[in-house]
Amino acid sequence: MKEYDIIVIGCGPAGSGAAKTAAERGLNVLVVEKRAEIGAPKRCGEGLSRSSLKRMGIEFDRKWVRREIIGASVYAPNGKMLRVDYKEGPEGWVIERKVFDKYLAEKAAEAGAKILAKTEATEVKRTENGITVVLESQGSKWKAKSPLIIAADGVESKIARALGLNTTLSLTDVASSVQFEMTAIDIDPDRIELYFGNEVAPSGYAWIFPKGEKTANVGIGVRKPWAKKSALLYLQDFIQSKPGLKKGSILEVNSGGVPVGGLLENMVADNLIVVGDAAHQVNPIHGGGISEGFIGGKLAAEIASQAFEERDFSSAFLEKYNKLWWEERGKALLKLLKLREVVERLSDEELNWLAEYLKGEDLIDLARSKGLKRLAKILMKKPKLIKLAKKLL
Amino acid sequence: MIEVDRKKCLRCGGCVSVCPATALTLTEHGITVNDNCNNCGICVNFCPVEALKRGEK
């Protein structure tokens, strides 16, 4: 049986973040990815902000960029647009996930990790001194063993559950999402567009993320029970309502569940750390998880490296990960979750009313969980919203 | 038991994440349903593309 220091299951950004960092710390790492191609099919709008890339500590490379983004147009239910302009140069990019994810995997491999695509962990079993993983690829089957598993297996989170850590999402914490990559459409190719409203996208939003002059990811995420029909029907209605989209062609269809809530107090068990979508490490405001996953993986590898120094892989030791992640990311994400829980309880009339008081710059602040007091103050102008506004303070 | 319409399913695996019975698995060939399924319908409610439905029993 092959033995490794760490077996990472899943080679998305979270798996690569864990593998790269662990390999840099001198650990012997195997990464298995069940899909035949890393990064595809995507379950993602492919937006990446400059600040997120910086937090990941990854170098910019033009090869994964489809379009530079200089701002956003945010639409209230009545169609009023708030224009967000970033003053410090391009705010981010719409990327090509299958190029980007492979780029991250290359970095992990350069650091010394061994990566195997089209290799699935079909069984995991805890033994006295670690975890045995049954791996299957192209009809062959073998076993590998390590004292520590990092589960980066996506929103399905099968590995955590198989090892006794319940990561099942509540229906209200996962955005049901559909996206078409469209072309031959009329768009603002330099700005992302976001549409809010209980008719357009209940407890979610619709987006247009440009990938070219005439090409964009056009998608929608909604949450039940507030959504009264499927995400696909909401998306089709959204496209029908926009002549510039309606006439377009569809290049790709994606769907997915985005864990926009349900942050986990505990992401470890004996011999196990869970990271990325599998651990619900996603920005609850916009549903972005590329940088959160990568950082979640990186932090897991740091704790893993300490675990190897102490030769202690018990949940009691690995709990250091919970503390570190909550300090580094969890607190900030929880604040954003609270903000969202307030905003999404507003009716369309209230959202339209609120949009009159906000400027583009306020939205930048709010997305960085700043200016919550100012928002509370505005909401308090309406007696009906005072109780809700207090949740922001 | 839950039934999967393979013509509609995009194999995104989102339904797996909300299944309280660990009855769903995302495989190369799509979603499979095992005997743990109690036909509760949470996955049906989640599915973005209406590929799931509750079975007769």
Side-chain angles (χ1 to χ4, degrees), chain A residues 34-36 43 118 120 155-156 158 161 167-171 174-178 224 230-233 253-258, chain B residues 9-28 34 41-50:
Chain A
K34 75 174 169 189
R35 292 202 166 102
R43 308 184 274 197
K118 189 77 177 110
E120 184 171 2
V155 73
E156 304 98 282
K158 294 292 278 188
R161 282 188 277 181
T167 51
T168 305
L169 278 158
S170 137
L171 189 60
V174 52
S176 179
S177 313
V178 182
K224 301 286 180 80
S230 71
L232 180 62
L233 289 177
V253 180
N254 312 117
S255 67
V258 183
Chain B
C9 178
L10 291 169
R11 304 175 187 179
C12 73
C15 54
V16 178
S17 73
V18 295
C19 175
T22 327
L24 302 173
T25 309
L26 173 63
T27 72
E28 274 297 275
N34 70 28
I42 291 177
C43 57
V44 178
N45 210 350
F46 163 79
C47 181
V49 294
E50 299 167 62

Side-chain angles (χ1 to χ4, degrees), chain A residues 120-231:
Chain A
E120 184 171 2
T122 51
E123 278 172 61
V124 280
K125 207 177 153 194
R126 198 178 269 113
T127 61
E128 236 171 69
N129 46 9
I131 290 179
T132 303
V133 184
V134 176
L135 297 169
E136 286 188 44
S137 180
Q138 298 293 110
S140 53
K141 201 169 174 175
W142 71 100
K143 281 183 182 173
K145 197 179 156 187
S146 66
L148 184 65
I149 296 278
I150 296 182
D153 56 332
V155 73
E156 304 98 282
S157 204
K158 294 292 278 188
I159 299 300
R161 282 188 277 181
L163 292 170
L165 186 66
N166 187 5
T167 51
T168 305
L169 278 158
S170 137
L171 189 60
T172 52
D173 285 331
V174 52
S176 179
S177 313
V178 182
Q179 173 176 272
F180 295 162
E181 185 170 327
M182 298 187 76
T183 195
I185 51 178
D186 297 332
I187 50 167
D188 178 345
D190 303 315
R191 282 192 168 68
I192 57 167
E193 292 181 30
L194 309 173
Y195 294 82
F196 290 88
N198 294 297
E199 294 292 321
V200 180
S203 295
Y205 66 94
W207 63 83
I208 301 174
F209 284 7
K211 294 184 85 170
E213 290 280 344
K214 290 269 173 196
T215 304
N217 286 329
V218 180
I220 209 156
V222 296
R223 280 172 29 251
K224 301 286 180 80
W226 302 283
K228 300 301 174 207
K229 54 190 180 191
S230 71

